[in-house]
Amino acid sequence: MMGKRLLTLMLALIVVLAGCVQTKSDVSGEKEKGDTKGGGNNGKVTIELLGTSSGEADMNIVRDQLIKNGFDVKLNIQPDYGSFKAQRDAGNFDIALSSWTTVTGNPDYAVRSLFKSGGDNSDISDEEVDKLIEKASTETPDEYQETYKQLEQRLVVEKAYIAPLYNSFKAQGVNKDVLNPKTVRLAKSRAIAWETIDFNDSSKRETLALIAQQAIGSLTSLDPIKGNDGSINTLNTNMYVRLVNLTDDDQVISDGSLSYNYAIGEGNNDYYFILRDDINFAKVEDGKAVDTGERVGSDDVVFSLNRAKDKNSVPDHRTYSLHESIKDIEVVTDLSELENVKLSGGEGSIREALEKGLDANITELVGDKTAADSHAGKYQVIKVTTNEPFPQVLNYLAHQSAGIVSKKQVESINTYDVANFNIDKDIPYGDQRTVTEGSTYNNHLYASGPYILVKKNDYQADFAKNPVYRAGSEFEPNISNVTVRFIQDADSALSALRNGEIHFFNGVPETKYDLVENDDKLVLQKNDSNAVAYLVFNAGDRDVAKSENLRKAVLYSINQDEFLNYYQGNKKKAYSTVSPLVNTGNELVADPAKVKEFLAEFQAE
């Protein structure tokens, strides 16, 4: 009996200690008195570092570097992203481990959402930062290098809004006994495209599901404008077609998109897209993907992009800042406009550019999508106009948030009042509850892309091929069904790959490359990436929010060489989220003397 009682007490103690939010400080985000300026800590400054269990190695390196430079460190390690976000939203941190991948391949995306005042993911409000972001957005690559250099310096050394850690490579392991590795893409920026993937034995396309993996199982939203994170980027990329796409090395193309061609008008304000007429929306009936009978067309494009750029079109809009450069979206029905507008940076007209490679030249522009007939030369053309010259708009139009949704379907679901939206009673388009197995299941999705999500649970999400997506073309999906397993831990995902439980793993840890390379049934694919890890400072009411000196003391404690050594040279130095895209020449060098100086100035404030 004594042993059982002791075990019960020990288990109870473990439950209490494991609780994420227990104290008033934890819940409200208030700091306990003396936490920062040395109350009870031998006069040392205490820094609370927030992260997830998957980032524990990075947290330990940062902790050791801070301790070496005279700080005390409190680790706040959360088991998953949802718990991490709750802690971050509550302000329970001084510095938080963060990361960003520029999935659009352009530097504006690497800064606008994160650092511009009012940005979707920004805690910064700095007029100089805003000016530099806007200035760079109107410049060509030859011009914007110096502007982004100045922006980085403002973000890092002048104000210490972030502390960069490293730039990652991108690597995935592929089961070459099951999949043809040549069909599995590894793009620098965009999420993986499932439609190209094929089995070695093509006879299994209908009977065997492609099994993929992702870490996050709680999906932000299946409405493409309401999410921009690792839970939905790949899923929405494969569910919604866009006006353009990115190649594996970040070039804008029409391949695999809704447009046959695109062209930029003289002055770089007007962007024209000639639409395909061979894609219909799919829906789910009786657990299968079926044709809705509704073509994807110009009215859906205008509707989708107008709501994408309107902050108030949906509650909790996560991607509006990516599309705020857009002024107007319209359907062009006057053929003479295409003939009279000159092509940017070259000779010829917009019409000539749009007609390149078409089976039939343009004879008529139609406003009704059901009247489009490319074989007869009847096409739909969309014109996107930007507020200022902004060639990088094309990269944003390739992002998953610019996915084309059904105007008819979304309007039929989103009947709530946006200003008075109530999450407890209003079910918006794309809410994961509608695809979750059980009493809440009521799949209302319409997919314009190659796949549609059929159902999900806590362990996986099941997708089916859109039967009316580019049927008969090289872009028709090869494999009929895709299962995405939710495996949070990278080591567990790698084990699942090696055991044949998943067919590929996008995200092989740098320290485990050799395990894949030495496995006879696997192949390691590796590429540069736009992923950057960095520390973000609390911008609320903690001392790091108020004191540049304290932030700079943390900044100069960071030694990037130690990260590179830990990851066996499979990381690169970074200065900001722009680092993988623009060579600014900036570099962060750890400096204990500066740490000591800034700490002294902070404690004297």
Side-chain angles (χ1 to χ4, degrees), residues 20 56 76 84 113-114 125 136 252 259 295 320 327 384 387 411 443-444 452 494 496 500 505 521 524 530 594:
C20 294
E56 193 167 352
N76 184 348
F84 167 86
S113 175
L114 294 175
S125 181
V252 178
S259 69
R295 180 182 291 176
Y320 62 88
K327 180 181 179 181
V384 174
N387 294 302
E411 286 185 332
N443 195 321
H444 61 218
I452 186 169
L494 181 56
F505 171 31
K521 64 179 176 295
L524 181 72
N530 296 329
K594 287 185 177 180

Side-chain angles (χ1 to χ4, degrees), residues 139-146 582:
E139 297 175 328
T140 65
D142 290 338
E143 298 167 331
Y144 64 44
Q145 181 173 344
E146 179 59 29
V582 183

Side-chain angles (χ1 to χ4, degrees), residues 539-554:
D541 61 355
R542 293 211 178 182
D543 288 330
V544 290
K546 305 166 187 175
S547 174
E548 287 182 24
N549 288 318
L550 180 54
R551 296 198 301 270
K552 289 177 180 178
V554 173

Side-chain angles (χ1 to χ4, degrees), residues 1 3 22 88 93 117 123 178 182 197 207 212 220 227 334 361 380 391 426 478 491 506 519 535 539 542 558 568 591:
M1 286 295 292
Q22 294 292 333
R88 182 168 170 176
F93 70 101
S117 300
D123 294 323
V178 178
K182 293 181 180 179
I197 300 176
T207 57
T220 303
D334 183 359
N361 285 339
Q380 291 202 296
D426 296 323
N478 291 316
D491 287 340
N506 187 292
D519 193 316
L535 299 175
R542 293 211 178 182
I558 301 303
Q568 303 170 16
D591 193 331

Side-chain angles (χ1 to χ4, degrees), residues 15 177 215 340-341 400 548 573:
V15 169
D177 287 351
N340 295 330
V341 176
Q400 65 88 19
E548 287 182 24
K573 290 186 177 182

Side-chain angles (χ1 to χ4, degrees), residues 92-368:
N92 294 338
F93 70 101
D94 290 306
I95 51 176
L97 196 64
S98 189
S99 63
W100 182 262
T101 301
T102 302
V103 295
T104 58
N106 64 309
D108 187 76
Y109 178 83
V111 295
R112 182 171 297 273
S113 175
L114 294 175
F115 307 126
K116 190 172 184 292
S117 300
D120 311 318
N121 299 285
S122 176
D123 294 323
I124 296 172
S125 181
D126 186 312
E127 289 185 5
E128 181 63 22
V129 168
D130 294 346
K131 288 178 183 177
L132 290 168
I133 289 174
E134 293 303 336
K135 181 174 185 288
S137 73
T138 66
E139 297 175 328
T140 65
D142 290 338
E143 298 167 331
Y144 64 44
Q145 181 173 344
E146 179 59 29
T147 306
Y148 282 118
K149 180 176 183 176
Q150 294 175 26
L151 174 61
E152 281 192 327
Q153 290 170 341
R154 180 72 175 179
L155 290 170
V156 182
V157 295
E158 292 180 22
K159 305 297 289 185
Y161 290 132
I162 62 171
L165 302 181
Y166 54 76
N167 169 213
S168 297
F169 287 100
K170 197 172 189 178
Q172 65 186 9
V174 179
N175 187 325
K176 62 183 180 182
D177 287 351
V178 178
L179 300 180
N180 178 354
K182 293 181 180 179
T183 68
V184 186
R185 296 173 57 182
L186 182 61
K188 184 181 181 187
S189 296
R190 68 167 290 182
I192 190 166
W194 297 335
E195 69 263 32
T196 65
I197 300 176
D198 204 0
F199 295 122
N200 289 320
D201 183 355
S202 60
S203 67
K204 296 181 178 179
R205 290 174 175 175
E206 301 293 331
T207 57
L208 182 65
L210 170 68
I211 306 177
Q213 169 273 348
Q214 73 174 36
I216 305 173
S218 179
L219 310 182
T220 303
S221 179
L222 301 164
D223 181 341
I225 66 173
K226 292 193 66 177
N228 190 20
D229 57 67
S231 76
I232 49 76
N233 279 337
T234 297
L235 310 188
N236 284 345
T237 293
N238 284 284
M239 278 218 299
Y240 299 101
V241 72
R242 295 158 300 284
L243 284 176
V244 286
N245 273 322
L246 293 179
T247 63
D248 290 351
D249 59 354
D250 292 345
Q251 302 303 307
V252 178
I253 54 169
S254 290
D255 291 354
S257 75
L258 185 59
S259 69
Y260 289 107
N261 288 314
Y262 72 90
I264 306 174
E266 191 173 33
N268 295 342
N269 275 96
D270 296 322
Y271 303 79
Y272 295 84
F273 307 84
I274 186 165
L275 303 188
R276 309 191 64 88
D277 60 356
D278 59 353
I279 300 175
N280 279 15
F281 288 103
K283 64 179 178 180
V284 175
E285 285 186 354
D286 300 324
K288 297 181 179 180
V290 300
D291 182 5
T292 64
E294 180 188 354
R295 180 182 291 176
V296 183
S298 61
D299 59 336
D300 305 299
V301 175
V302 173
F303 173 75
S304 298
L305 296 186
N306 271 323
R307 69 195 296 266
K309 74 185 184 73
D310 179 7
K311 180 179 181 179
N312 300 313
S313 62
V314 292
D316 199 24
H317 198 323
R318 300 286 182 91
T319 60
Y320 62 88
S321 70
L322 304 185
H323 306 290
E324 63 185 3
S325 66
I326 297 176
K327 180 181 179 181
D328 293 307
I329 309 104
E330 57 187 299
V331 183
V332 179
T333 55
D334 183 359
L335 188 53
S336 66
E337 178 177 344
L338 305 187
E339 297 168 342
N340 295 330
V341 176
K342 299 299 182 183
L343 195 64
S344 173
E347 298 179 356
S349 67
I350 294 296
R351 176 175 181 171
E352 291 170 339
L354 293 182
E355 285 183 333
K356 283 185 178 179
L358 296 182
D359 291 336
N361 285 339
I362 305 170
T363 60
E364 182 182 354
L365 298 181
V366 298
D368 181 355

